[in-house]
Amino acid sequence: MSEEAEEIINLRSQITFLQNRVQELEEENAKFSSRLSSCRCDELQEKKPKEKCENLGEERGEMNSGCKKSGRKKATPKTPGYDTRIMNHHPRRYVALKVMYFGQRFYGFSLEAQMDPTVESEIFKALETTRLLIGDRKEIQYSRCGRTDKGVSAVGQVIALYLRSKLKDIDAHNKHSGETVPEEQDGQPEGEIDYVRVLNGVLPKDIRIVGWCPVPSDFSARFSCLSREYKYFFWNDNLNLLVMETAGKKLIGEHDFRNFCKMDAVKVHNYRRNVMSFEISPCDMRFEGHQLYAIKIKGSAFLWHQVRCMVAVLFMIGQGLESPEVIDALLDTRTLRKPQYLMAPEIPLVLLSCEFEGLKFSCSSDAGQALHVHLENECRLYHLQAAIFQEALLSHLPLSIDKDSSSNGVTRKKASHVPLMSRETEPSYEERRAKLETVKLRA
């Protein structure tokens, strides 16, 4: 039999399979439509007392208009054919998800970013595709631990939300901090949805769920977090690491870090944060005689761009452009406003971990195996790409540079460093607030 004939047979077989599958789905759809048409939930809702209905609307953050039927607004489902109102019949449970992502192609983590894609937008697309969401964003009590910026990665980000569950009696357990769950089998409660496997099956390759954990209904991924830990990778290009570490230790403790962040005078009014630990250590990677290092910083919470600002000042110290005492000067916010300086690049920054009391993230063995294989394949791919770049570097021939045409025979001077204490400063918090109040009065 020729290859062409085999291909025709295979195509016919696939068509037959798809036709049968379509017929099965149509039958299932008819059953669900019949069940939905006989549902009397709307009638029962209208019979509830007006006061109770108003309270329910307040809990959901909705505007009340006497709970009249004509005043209701229908939510538009983001995924075709997916309306979370229909899903309200399903049991749900409050869970924390541990997320990792490579931030290079994303415009930050938060869905509220002005650009797309964001990590959060991709996660919600996956949640809608897998039909795990029940209710809108307020109803699912969504919270996130960190709001990483454009280009920043994470291996230990944590979010919390209500997800659909297979366990019918789980709602009673959601109300208690010591949630009693069925006996675990294969790394997760027996009979429960394998959240890690299901979500990773539809997420893009640069986002992965690495574990999940049931949490009490009063849990917040942001406010229940005890500490966050970041890593910043860098190559040691003639940096004085000993001096950098000495300077970095000055950051430990509770300080006013307004000179080490991008100030947001609209939302943030307290700039005191507690840095718990600081260290610089070598990584298991070298390139052309240069050792890769990482700065690890742990704190209760961090301000906007705080880590990148601290690293930028430490690099100036490591290059011998500033003394370690500049840290003390910048922490003294009574006498000094923030001097203008560039932050360290965003790509080397990683949210390493978020610490919570009593949380133990887990996943099924199948999901764990698939995650391991995926990450291993991604590592292999990046090593192959690095090998190609190195081959191009090795085969690159020195080019003769025509000085007359490139720089008119003039040798360009390296830009001189302006000491931080001699630079122009940014507006203070008080000046920013005064400007906001002036704009508000004019409006």
Side-chain angles (χ1 to χ4, degrees):
M1 185 182 295
S2 66
E3 292 183 3
E4 190 174 321
E6 287 183 3
E7 187 174 349
I8 291 172
I9 292 172
N10 289 334
L11 286 173
R12 285 176 178 172
S13 176
Q14 291 178 23
I15 291 171
T16 302
F17 170 78
L18 290 172
Q19 288 173 339
N20 292 335
R21 182 59 181 151
V22 168
Q23 186 176 354
E24 291 174 3
L25 291 173
E26 287 176 346
E27 291 174 357
E28 289 183 18
N29 186 51
K31 291 179 183 178
F32 285 125
S33 297
S34 176
R35 289 173 59 186
L36 187 60
S37 63
S38 61
C39 178
R40 299 176 60 246
C41 294
D42 288 340
E43 296 175 14
L44 293 173
Q45 180 69 25
E46 289 174 6
K47 291 179 182 180
K48 290 182 179 180
K50 179 179 176 181
E51 294 81 5
K52 190 171 182 180
C53 187
E54 287 178 348
N55 291 336
L56 179 62
E58 289 173 5
E59 289 174 6
R60 294 183 177 179
E62 299 168 354
M63 297 297 292
N64 297 300
S65 58
C67 292
K68 294 179 181 179
K69 187 175 181 180
S70 59
R72 293 179 181 175
K73 292 184 179 180
K74 294 183 178 180
T76 304
K78 294 182 180 180
T79 302
Y82 178 41
D83 191 337
T84 55
R85 294 173 301 164
I86 299 174
M87 303 293 288
N88 283 334
H89 298 288
H90 289 271
R92 63 177 191 166
R93 75 185 310 169
Y94 201 43
V95 303
L97 300 177
K98 191 173 183 180
V99 188
M100 70 172 299
Y101 49 88
F102 300 92
Q104 192 163 0
R105 77 177 181 94
F106 297 109
Y107 291 94
F109 182 83
S110 173
L111 191 63
E112 287 86 5
Q114 300 298 318
M115 304 290 286
D116 200 54
T118 65
V119 178
E120 214 168 58
S121 66
E122 293 293 339
I123 291 174
F124 272 88
K125 286 177 187 176
L127 289 168
E128 290 170 359
T129 300
T130 54
R131 306 299 198 264
L132 288 175
L133 282 182
I134 299 179
D136 59 28
R137 189 157 173 156
K138 288 184 179 179
E139 290 173 325
I140 63 174
Q141 292 182 210
Y142 177 78
S143 62
R144 54 177 174 250
C145 184
R147 185 173 174 173
T148 54
D149 298 309
K150 177 181 180 294
V152 178
S153 301
V155 295
Q157 173 73 280
V158 174
I159 62 174
L161 71 170
Y162 273 103
L163 294 181
R164 178 167 57 86
S165 173
K166 278 187 177 181
L167 308 179
K168 295 182 180 180
D169 59 344
I170 203 64
D171 283 327
H173 298 303
N174 284 328
K175 299 178 182 178
H176 306 289
S177 58
E179 181 181 2
T180 305
V181 296
E183 184 178 349
E184 289 195 1
Q185 182 180 25
D186 191 26
Q188 67 170 30
E190 185 177 1
E192 184 54 286
I193 296 171
D194 191 344
Y195 296 117
V196 176
R197 181 185 61 80
V198 170
L199 286 169
N200 286 345
V202 296
L203 281 167
K205 65 180 182 179
D206 44 6
I207 303 176
R208 280 295 178 269
I209 307 298
V210 298
W212 75 279
C213 177
V215 290
S217 58
D218 60 350
F219 175 85
S220 168
R222 179 184 177 187
F223 297 110
S224 300
C225 183
L226 302 177
S227 67
R228 287 99 169 157
E229 191 169 43
Y230 283 88
K231 256 190 178 184
Y232 193 95
F233 294 95
F234 66 96
W235 296 103
N236 182 18
D237 296 325
N238 299 318
L239 293 171
N240 189 332
L241 299 181
L242 185 60
V243 175
M244 284 176 64
E245 188 147 30
T246 301
K249 297 292 185 183
K250 294 175 178 288
L251 297 167
I252 297 176
E254 185 176 320
H255 304 284
D256 189 321
F257 285 99
R258 68 183 64 196
N259 291 335
F260 289 94
C261 72
K262 185 173 182 180
M263 196 177 294
D264 182 1
V266 177
K267 298 179 181 178
V268 182
H269 310 296
N270 178 17
Y271 292 86
R272 295 192 70 84
R273 296 293 186 271
N274 182 25
V275 172
M276 301 172 177
S277 64
F278 175 93
E279 65 176 68
I280 300 176
S281 57
C283 303
D284 188 20
M285 189 173 293
R286 297 181 68 88
F287 179 73
E288 292 194 339
H290 297 283
Q291 176 73 50
L292 185 68
Y293 281 81
I295 295 172
K296 188 158 66 172
I297 304 174
K298 182 178 180 180
S300 56
F302 291 91
L303 297 162
W304 192 11
H305 294 325
Q306 181 181 340
V307 175
R308 291 169 61 191
C309 286
M310 292 191 296
V311 170
V313 175
L314 289 172
F315 281 164
M316 295 181 204
I317 295 170
Q319 293 167 12
L321 302 174
E322 298 285 347
S323 69
E325 284 68 35
V326 77
I327 299 291
D328 299 311
L330 290 171
L331 289 175
D332 186 4
T333 58
R334 297 169 299 176
T335 58
L336 179 70
R337 295 189 303 183
K338 182 187 176 185
Q340 296 177 356
Y341 60 89
L342 295 176
M343 297 182 295
E346 70 276 7
I347 298 298
L349 182 59
V350 181
L351 175 56
L352 189 64
S353 64
C354 302
E355 182 186 3
F356 297 88
E357 184 178 0
L359 288 201
K360 183 180 179 182
F361 292 94
S362 63
C363 69
S364 68
S365 58
D366 287 346
Q369 177 77 19
L371 178 63
H372 181 83
V373 170
H374 170 77
L375 294 176
E376 194 174 63
N377 289 338
E378 290 297 300
C379 284
R380 289 174 182 267
L381 176 61
Y382 280 107
H383 278 297
L384 286 173
Q385 291 176 345
I388 294 170
F389 279 110
Q390 188 167 17
E391 189 65 29
L393 185 63
L394 292 172
S395 62
H396 176 68
L397 297 175
L399 299 176
S400 59
I401 300 174
D402 187 349
K403 292 184 179 180
D404 293 333
S405 62
S406 63
S407 59
N408 296 322
V410 178
T411 303
R412 294 182 180 178
K413 293 183 178 180
K414 189 176 181 180
S416 58
H417 175 75
V418 178
L420 287 175
M421 297 299 103
S422 302
R423 298 188 185 188
E424 292 289 327
T425 57
E426 296 183 3
S428 66
Y429 169 78
E430 291 74 20
E431 290 171 338
R432 294 172 192 263
R433 289 299 304 174
K435 185 176 180 180
L436 289 170
E437 292 298 326
T438 302
V439 172
K440 192 182 296 184
L441 289 172
R442 288 177 181 174

